[in-house]
Amino acid sequence: MLHLLALLIGVIAGLRAMTAPAAIAWGAYLGWLPVAGNWASFMGHWAAVGIFTILAIVELVTDQLPSTPSRKVPQQFGARILLGAFSGAVIGATAGSTIGGLIAGAIGAVIGTYGGAEARGRLAAAFGKDLPAALIEDAVAIIGGLLIVAAVV
């Protein structure tokens, strides 16, 4: 079950790279993720919550701009894989399976990146513009990320 949740948080990172670690940080800060006493304990600190939340908001805003590069360009794709792997590793660390969580999170990020790009393209075509599709993607990422983190407990 834990590896499935790590995979799903990776999918969220594929959709919105910074939303996954922001959800993890909030979950750890609120006590939903038992990270105390392991390498990921810093995620429960208010500074991590602030930094990742600000980065997630910046990503949500900049993703709506016409100049935003495709998520499939190497830099964007690599960042999503790294953040998915990191987020999955934090979830895995709650049960002593950091490596398993890392691998599941990275796989999930690949799925989320390619699947999210395809879904967003179809939604944008259906709406005739990209903004409604981006807002739907934002909602799915934020709500899904928080539900996944809450499910770990």
Side-chain angles (χ1 to χ4, degrees):
M1 177 69 171
L2 190 67
H3 290 108
L4 175 62
L5 295 173
L7 178 87
L8 292 174
I9 202 70
V11 170
I12 298 300
L15 293 174
R16 287 284 176 262
M18 296 310 300
T19 299
I24 295 284
W26 274 103
Y29 181 74
L30 295 172
W32 297 351
L33 283 176
V35 294
N38 67 36
W39 66 268
S41 62
F42 72 94
M43 289 299 283
H45 193 272
W46 63 266
V49 171
I51 290 167
F52 285 119
T53 300
I54 289 169
L55 290 173
I57 291 168
V58 168
E59 180 186 26
L60 292 175
V61 171
T62 59
D63 189 57
Q64 319 307 322
L65 303 174
S67 61
T68 302
S70 167
R71 69 183 72 205
K72 292 192 250 181
V73 298
Q75 298 87 349
Q76 293 273 348
F77 186 58
R80 290 172 190 277
I81 291 173
L82 287 173
L83 288 164
F86 169 73
S87 299
V90 173
I91 288 179
T94 64
S97 181
T98 300
I99 300 298
L102 182 139
I103 293 168
I107 292 168
V110 172
I111 294 167
T113 299
Y114 283 108
E118 180 68 24
R120 183 167 173 174
R122 289 176 189 242
L123 282 171
F127 286 118
K129 54 186 173 178
D130 191 50
L131 185 59
L135 295 175
I136 290 169
E137 189 178 43
D138 294 344
V140 167
I142 292 167
I143 293 167
L146 291 174
L147 290 174
I148 291 164
V149 169
V152 172
V153 179

